[in-house]
């Protein structure tokens, strides 16, 4: 079965990112496809590579990145939400004249249409948030 | 479109205190371009999103409440309000914005977009959806 | 059509579970995750929210119970414990998923 996931809260502040990670791992193990994970609201903070969590804690952003690489999962950060919260890729850096970019490997920034498309293309959409 | 999916947006949060209401509306506006069957439900504190007379000038946050009136132009005209949520908050339909749409098939007759439904009716409507987005 | 409802708030702090129970059609399944698992404990003054919802099936996410030091023996009768694999299976066996946020 084809799944898409929406993550609506930031990592560390709320359990929802970790629940989503555990759900994605279990779905992949059961042989399902993850079509897309869409990060919205403060969920876009899952896509920063500027975080340095303590070594004895889970690195949530890196875990997403590794999951995406291992299972070819499309990780999409909403552009409107990202612009509000300072998640920047190369295109955004150039367009909005920022000094740097902070998007994690495996993530890309795109529009809200990607969430709707995920709903259309997938058999199930599961939302994790507050 | 026969292969259109039914999308339901459930709104349970009041505006301004958190950003969910506004960012939900942004999804609805973008999603309207995809020719799917769209419904919105306002339950619990979500009903406060549609209050008339919102004025945020002294707070400084953008007042997005006029945007709801544009939903009809986006062919978003199935807006369900849970009766029990309204009543629990001492509100009536008169406290909310009057949202309308124009029916192309009936010579652009103006029709109400808002339907007040009971919890039981709304539960049945939820059962008919393919995709439910929660905000 | 059947819906899997997820609830992630304690019923002692928020009314999310009450909203879910009120708006879930007969025969639906409710999975309590994250802080939602506190609502699954027996003997509390809000345990009745689940005990009175006879038309729904309740599940609780085991890892979230364990993380919070709650024993499975203290769950309200009839609530089934699932792991993440079981969570995925519930999303497959139902037709759609509604998150009560």
């Amino acid at each position: 079965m084809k799944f898409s996931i929406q993550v609506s809260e930031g990592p560390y502040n709320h359990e929802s990112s970790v629940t989503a990670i555990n759900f994605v791992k279990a779905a992949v193990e059961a042989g399902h496809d993850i079509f897309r994970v869409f990060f919205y609201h403060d969920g876009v903070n899952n896509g920063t590579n500027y975080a340095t969590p303590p070594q004895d804690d889970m690195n949530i952003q890196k875990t997403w990145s590794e999951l995406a690489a291992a299972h070819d999962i499309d990780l999409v950060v909403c552009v409107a939400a990202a612009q509000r919260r300072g998640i920047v890729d190369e295109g955004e850096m150039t367009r909005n004249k920022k000094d740097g970019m902070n998007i994690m490997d495996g993530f890309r920034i795109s529009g809200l249409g990607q969430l709707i498309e995920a709903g259309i293309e997938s058999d199930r959409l599961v939302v994790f948030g507050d | 479109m026969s292969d259109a999916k039914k999308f339901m947006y459930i709104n349970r949060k009041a505006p301004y205190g958190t950003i969910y209401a506004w960012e939900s509306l942004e999804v609805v506006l973008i999603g309207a371009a995809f020719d799917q069957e769209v419904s919105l439900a306002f339950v619990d504190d979500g009903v406060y999103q549609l209050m008339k007379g919102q004025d945020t000038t002294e707070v400084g946050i953008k007042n997005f409440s006029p945007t709801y009136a544009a939903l009809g132009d986006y062919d978003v005209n199935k807006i369900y309000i849970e009766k029990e949520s309204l009543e629990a908050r001492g509100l009536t339909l008169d406290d909310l914005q009057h949202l309308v749409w124009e029916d192309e098939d009936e010579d652009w007759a103006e029709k109400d977009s808002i339907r007040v439904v009971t919890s039981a009716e709304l539960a049945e409507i939820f059962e008919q959806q393919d995709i439910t987005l929660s905000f | 059509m059947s819906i899997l409802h997820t609830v992630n708030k304690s019923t002692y702090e928020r009314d999310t579970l009450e909203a879910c129970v009120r708006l879930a059609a007969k025969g639906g399944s409710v999975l309590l995750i994250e802080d939602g698992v506190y609502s699954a404990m027996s003997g509390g003054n809000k345990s009745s929210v689940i005990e009175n919802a006879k038309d729904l099936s309740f599940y609780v996410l085991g890892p979230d119970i364990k993380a919070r030091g709650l024993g499975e023996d203290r769950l309200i009768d009839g609530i089934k414990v699932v792991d993440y694999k079981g969570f995925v299976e519930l999303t497959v066996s139902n037709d759609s998923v509604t998150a009560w946020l």
Side-chain angles (χ1 to χ4, degrees):
Chain A
M1 200 169 251
K2 206 190 280 183
F3 283 84
S4 281
I5 309 293
Q6 179 183 331
V7 178
S8 299
E9 292 299 322
Y12 304 107
N13 201 62
H14 195 284
E15 191 181 349
S16 56
S17 300
V18 176
T19 306
I21 284 171
N22 288 325
F23 182 91
V24 165
K25 284 181 179 170
V28 167
E29 265 170 40
H32 300 295
D33 292 325
I34 306 294
F35 176 74
R36 179 170 295 151
V37 183
F38 190 84
F39 298 89
Y40 198 40
H41 307 301
D42 277 1
V44 299
N45 293 311
N46 280 275
T48 179
N49 66 4
Y50 276 11
T52 315
Q55 289 207 336
D56 62 349
D57 199 355
M58 177 177 180
N59 189 326
I60 294 174
Q61 291 90 344
K62 197 160 157 256
T63 304
W64 279 120
S65 186
E66 288 165 357
L67 269 177
H71 307 290
D72 194 25
I73 300 171
D74 188 21
L75 305 179
V76 178
V77 172
C78 168
V79 62
Q83 286 175 338
R84 286 191 179 110
R85 296 164 178 87
I87 303 297
V88 179
D89 64 4
E90 196 171 2
E92 287 293 306
M93 178 179 71
T94 311
R95 211 167 10 257
N96 299 313
K97 300 184 177 55
K98 302 293 180 191
D99 295 335
M101 54 178 178
N102 60 346
I103 190 91
M104 186 61 141
D105 284 347
F107 286 79
R108 63 188 180 93
I109 296 180
S110 189
L112 275 170
Q114 300 279 307
L115 172 61
I116 306 299
E117 188 198 47
I120 295 169
E121 295 296 325
S122 306
D123 300 304
R124 299 286 185 275
L125 179 75
V126 189
V127 181
F128 296 93
D130 187 52
Chain B
M1 237 175 116
S2 57
D3 57 349
K5 278 193 175 180
K6 292 194 174 77
F7 277 69
M8 169 61 79
Y9 296 84
I10 302 184
N11 297 282
R12 290 189 64 244
K13 296 188 176 95
Y16 309 119
T18 54
I19 199 172
Y20 303 104
W22 172 223
E23 287 192 332
S24 167
L25 194 50
E26 288 191 316
V27 182
V28 174
L29 295 174
I30 297 289
F34 283 76
D35 287 329
Q36 306 294 305
E37 284 185 45
V38 175
S39 302
L40 273 58
F42 293 89
V43 302
D44 296 317
D45 282 356
V47 300
Y48 290 129
Q49 292 183 28
L50 296 173
M51 290 294 285
K52 282 178 187 163
Q54 296 176 31
D55 179 357
T56 61
T57 45
E58 290 182 24
V59 177
I61 300 176
K62 177 158 97 176
N63 178 1
F64 55 88
S65 65
T67 311
Y68 294 102
L71 288 173
D73 299 335
Y74 286 83
D75 290 327
V76 176
N77 50 37
K78 286 194 273 294
I79 298 178
Y80 299 99
I81 311 261
E82 191 203 7
K83 186 170 171 275
E84 286 80 352
S85 294
L86 269 186
E87 286 174 355
R89 286 159 182 76
L91 299 175
T92 69
L93 202 47
D94 287 340
D95 295 307
L96 308 184
Q97 294 190 53
H98 182 212
L99 303 183
V100 295
W101 62 290
E102 293 176 342
D103 191 344
E104 192 180 344
D105 298 333
E106 290 186 24
D107 198 24
W108 306 100
E110 196 174 88
K111 296 185 175 178
D112 285 338
S113 299
I114 291 183
R115 304 159 201 203
V116 177
V117 292
T118 64
S119 312
E121 287 167 335
L122 195 51
E124 278 178 34
I125 293 162
F126 286 155
E127 288 262 294
Q128 296 157 14
Q129 307 302 317
D130 297 306
I131 297 291
T132 301
L133 293 156
S134 314
F135 294 96
Chain C
M1 293 284 281
S2 64
I3 299 178
L4 173 67
H5 304 268
T6 63
V7 176
N8 70 345
K9 307 292 186 317
S10 162
T11 193
Y12 296 97
E13 196 209 350
R14 302 268 280 268
D15 67 348
T16 318
L17 181 62
E18 282 91 333
C20 168
V21 165
R22 190 175 77 239
L23 290 162
K26 207 186 244 188
S29 299
V30 180
L31 172 63
L32 304 165
I33 64 172
E34 301 170 2
D35 285 350
V37 301
Y38 292 116
S39 312
M41 306 304 290
S42 60
N45 66 6
K46 292 283 191 82
S47 302
S48 56
V49 176
I50 289 177
E51 288 162 353
N52 293 341
K54 307 274 186 220
D55 295 334
L56 301 171
S57 304
F58 287 90
Y59 301 84
V60 69
L61 194 57
D64 278 330
I65 289 255
K66 209 171 155 188
R68 287 163 175 77
L70 309 175
E72 286 186 22
D73 55 327
R74 300 182 62 183
L75 294 176
I76 295 165
D77 280 348
I79 297 184
K80 298 179 196 76
V81 181
V82 297
D83 55 10
Y84 292 104
K85 181 169 177 257
F87 183 176
V88 172
E89 284 166 0
L90 282 169
T91 64
V92 172
S93 61
N94 286 278
D95 298 301
S96 70
V97 187
T98 296
W100 291 90
L101 302 181

